[in-house]
Amino acid sequence: MKKYYFLPVFAVMALASTAVHAQDFDSDPVIKVENKSEEVKFTVGARFMADAAYYHSDYTPVKSGAAITDARIRTSMSYKDWYFYADFDFSGGKFSQKNIFLQYTLPTECGFHAFKAGYYNNPASMNNNTSRGSMHFIARPGAVSALSIGRELGISYKFYNDKFFANQGIFAENKYNDQIAGFQGVSVGGRWLYRPINDKQKTLHVGATFRYAKISTGEVISGNVLKTSHSMGTALETYVDKFQFVSATMPWADNIYNFSVEALYKTPDFFVRGEYLYKAVTKDRDDETLFFNGLGSIDSWGSLESWRGGNPLGTNNFMGGYIEAGYKIFGGDYRYSNEDGVLKGLNGKSLEVVARYSFTGLNDLVDGEYYSAARDQYYPNGVIADYPATSKSIGGGNMHSATVGLNYAFNKFAQFMVSYTYNHLDRDKYVYDKNFHVLQGRLVFQF
C-alpha cells in the first residue's frame, strides 16, 4: 500500500520541479547550466520588442514613430524546491529593475504551496500577472493600466491545484523607501480562482481580486502638514507614444480599495477572457492645522467649519473593464497555466486573430459643476468663482477602445503582431479630441 500512497506525491513533486524551473519565463529558457552534484540549475534568457505605430487624432497631435519597448535580460537559479528569478530592462535607453524574487514551493497531495518574497507583480489582477511575452495584444487594456496595480515589494503565499487558486500577500507602497516625506505605505490583497472545468482540452475559471492600500507618503506643506496624493492614467493602448489622455491626480488620498471580478475560457483553438475593475479612493487631511496656519493670509477663513465648506473632501469612484477573444487559425493549442491562473502565449509556429473591447472610466463628476478649460478646473454651483473654488469632481476622462489584431509566430522564438485600435475619448480637458486611430505593429524575439 505504501508504494501506491507515494505515487501521487512523487507525481506532484515532479510537476513542481517543472513548474518552478519555468516560473516567469514565457517559454522554457534555452540556455541552461546545471551542476548535478550541487543540484543547482542556472538559466539565462532575453526578450526584445520593437514597436512601430501610426496615430491619427482629431486635434491634439500624437507622435507616430517606432521605439524599442522592451529589451531585457532574464535569469534564474533553482535549488531543489527553491527558486530565484531576476530580470532587468534596458529599453528607453536606461536601466530599470523588473522582477526579482525568491520563491519556495512545497508540493503536497492536495496541491502546491508557494512562498514568495521580493519585487514582483501584485497578485490582484489577471492581466497584469500575464507576462508581456505571453500577451495576445500589443498593449494591455486601458482599464488595467489605469486602475490596476503592477509590481510591488512584498511577500505572498500561493496555493493552487487543478480546481483552486489562491494568491495573497502584503506589499510596500514604495520599494526603496525614498519618498519625499512620510512613512512607507502598505497594501494587502490577493486573487482567488475556481476552475470548474480544467483539462487538456478546455479550461474555465472564474474569480475575484481585492486590494487595500494605505497612502502614507507625500510632501510637507504649510509648515508641518503631510500632503499625500495618488495618480493614475493610461495611454491609447500603445507604447510608442505614452502620453496619457486619460489621467487623474487626487490630493489628500488616504485609502485605496481595488476590487475586480474575472472570467476566462479556452479551448485548443479559442479563448475569451475579461475583467471588471472598480477603484475607490478616500481622502483625509489635517484640517485644523491648515485652517490655523492660514489665518491672517489671503487664504484666511472666519471659522474652521467655513474653511471645510470651501475645501470639501470626498471619496472618488472609478471603474473599467475589458473583454477579449482570440481564434487560432493554425499552430499549437492554446495553453493555460494552473500556477499563475493565466493564458500562455502562442505555442510554436502559429497564426491567430484577436479582438478586444475595453472601457476606462476616470470621470467622477459632481452634477451641476462648471469646468473652465482655461484654468483646467471645476467650479461648484455652475459658475466661476475665485473664492471658494474647490471642487470634488475628478475629470480624468472616459475612454472606449476597440481593437482587432493578427499575430503570427514564425517559431517559438520570433513573433510578429499587428493591430488597429479605435479610441473614443470623453474628457472636458480635451474638448476637441474625441476620436483616435492607432495602427501599430510589433516584432518580438525571446529565448
Side-chain angles (χ1 to χ4, degrees):
M1 292 294 294
K2 289 185 178 180
K3 65 178 180 181
Y4 296 107
Y5 177 80
F6 283 109
L7 276 176
V9 178
F10 177 79
V12 170
M13 292 181 68
L15 287 172
S17 176
T18 302
V20 168
H21 293 171
Q23 172 78 20
D24 272 80
F25 279 94
D26 308 311
S27 58
D28 192 28
V30 176
I31 301 176
K32 303 176 183 178
V33 180
E34 188 171 1
N35 186 330
K36 293 184 179 180
S37 63
E38 297 291 339
E39 301 181 70
V40 172
K41 179 184 289 185
F42 176 80
T43 67
V44 61
R47 188 170 72 208
F48 170 81
M49 295 182 180
D51 293 7
Y54 169 76
Y55 308 104
H56 182 273
S57 57
D58 288 339
Y59 183 76
T60 303
V62 188
K63 297 181 293 183
S64 302
I68 298 174
T69 56
D70 193 26
R72 66 180 68 185
I73 301 295
R74 305 179 292 166
T75 63
S76 75
M77 190 192 82
S78 57
Y79 171 72
K80 296 183 178 180
D81 294 323
W82 292 88
Y83 177 79
F84 174 77
Y85 179 85
D87 65 0
F88 307 95
D89 186 41
F90 300 92
S91 61
K94 59 183 180 181
F95 169 84
S96 64
Q97 177 183 300
K98 297 298 183 181
N99 299 293
I100 181 166
F101 62 81
L102 178 66
Q103 177 173 293
Y104 172 74
T105 302
L106 176 65
T108 66
E109 285 188 293
C110 60
F112 301 95
H113 304 267
F115 304 87
K116 190 174 183 179
Y119 183 64
Y120 51 93
N121 280 318
N122 186 292
S125 166
M126 173 173 62
N127 201 282
N128 265 341
N129 278 276
T130 303
S131 170
R132 284 182 65 184
S134 293
M135 288 172 57
H136 296 258
F137 294 82
I138 291 178
R140 302 190 192 277
V144 172
S145 300
L147 300 174
S148 187
I149 190 68
R151 296 178 181 88
E152 292 185 309
L153 180 66
I155 184 169
S156 60
Y157 161 72
K158 175 168 63 177
F159 170 80
Y160 65 96
N161 57 24
D162 287 342
K163 289 292 184 182
F164 299 99
F165 173 97
N167 189 2
Q168 47 278 307
I170 181 169
F171 299 87
E173 179 188 348
N174 188 321
K175 63 179 180 293
Y176 292 120
N177 197 38
D178 58 357
Q179 61 272 7
I180 298 174
F183 298 99
Q184 189 175 44
V186 64
S187 70
V188 294
R191 177 172 174 239
W192 303 274
L193 306 176
Y194 172 60
R195 298 183 268 242
I197 303 173
N198 190 17
D199 53 42
K200 292 182 179 180
Q201 294 298 308
K202 299 178 181 180
T203 297
L204 169 65
H205 89 216
V206 292
T209 71
F210 174 78
R211 175 180 177 266
Y212 163 75
K214 175 69 174 179
I215 305 300
S216 303
T217 65
E219 59 178 336
V220 175
I221 66 168
S222 188
N224 56 355
V225 176
L226 179 69
K227 183 178 182 179
T228 60
S229 68
H230 176 69
S231 298
M232 56 186 181
T234 180
L236 299 172
E237 298 191 348
T238 181
Y239 295 116
V240 174
D241 189 331
K242 298 181 180 180
F243 183 80
Q244 296 185 342
F245 284 93
V246 178
S247 63
T249 297
M250 287 156 287
W252 308 110
D254 184 35
N255 300 300
I256 298 178
Y257 300 90
N258 293 84
F259 172 76
S260 71
V261 292
E262 65 178 77
L264 179 151
Y265 176 73
K266 75 95 185 158
T267 69
D269 301 322
F270 172 78
F271 77 84
V272 59
R273 61 186 174 185
E275 289 182 89
Y276 167 82
L277 304 98
Y278 168 80
K279 185 173 191 174
V281 181
T282 70
K283 301 171 184 177
D284 191 27
R285 69 182 171 216
D286 187 350
D287 289 353
E288 188 172 344
T289 299
L290 289 171
F291 166 72
F292 283 110
N293 287 348
L295 290 177
S297 70
I298 193 173
D299 297 321
S300 179
W301 290 74
S303 67
L304 177 60
E305 289 71 23
S306 62
W307 186 91
R308 284 174 172 159
N311 297 274
L313 285 183
T315 298
N316 291 116
N317 301 277
F318 311 96
M319 56 81 66
Y322 69 90
I323 182 170
E324 54 189 30
Y327 174 74
K328 178 179 62 63
I329 300 173
F330 66 80
D333 294 346
Y334 284 131
R335 301 165 297 157
Y336 177 84
S337 169
N338 282 345
E339 181 181 2
D340 298 311
V342 299
L343 185 72
K344 295 185 177 182
L346 292 178
N347 183 18
K349 187 174 182 179
S350 307
L351 177 67
E352 71 170 348
V353 59
V354 295
R356 177 171 72 200
Y357 165 76
S358 66
F359 170 73
T360 308
L362 300 192
N363 277 339
D364 186 12
L365 306 178
V366 177
D367 291 339
E369 294 201 335
Y370 172 76
Y371 176 76
S372 169
R375 299 187 180 185
D376 187 21
Q377 188 171 349
Y378 287 89
Y379 292 89
N381 304 318
V383 295
I384 295 179
D386 291 327
Y387 190 80
T390 301
S391 164
K392 293 190 289 184
S393 290
I394 299 293
N398 292 338
M399 185 170 69
H400 298 264
S401 303
T403 300
V404 291
L406 190 68
N407 305 322
Y408 176 69
F410 300 95
N411 48 53
K412 62 181 180 180
F413 302 115
Q415 180 179 345
F416 178 72
M417 312 172 73
V418 62
S419 69
Y420 162 76
T421 301
Y422 167 71
N423 303 280
H424 180 74
L425 177 68
D426 174 19
R427 186 175 182 183
D428 292 331
K429 182 176 182 178
Y430 300 105
V431 63
Y432 299 112
D433 283 305
K434 298 297 181 184
N435 306 292
F436 297 84
H437 304 270
V438 181
L439 180 64
Q440 54 188 331
R442 165 175 291 170
L443 179 63
V444 182
F445 181 77
Q446 57 185 346
F447 66 88

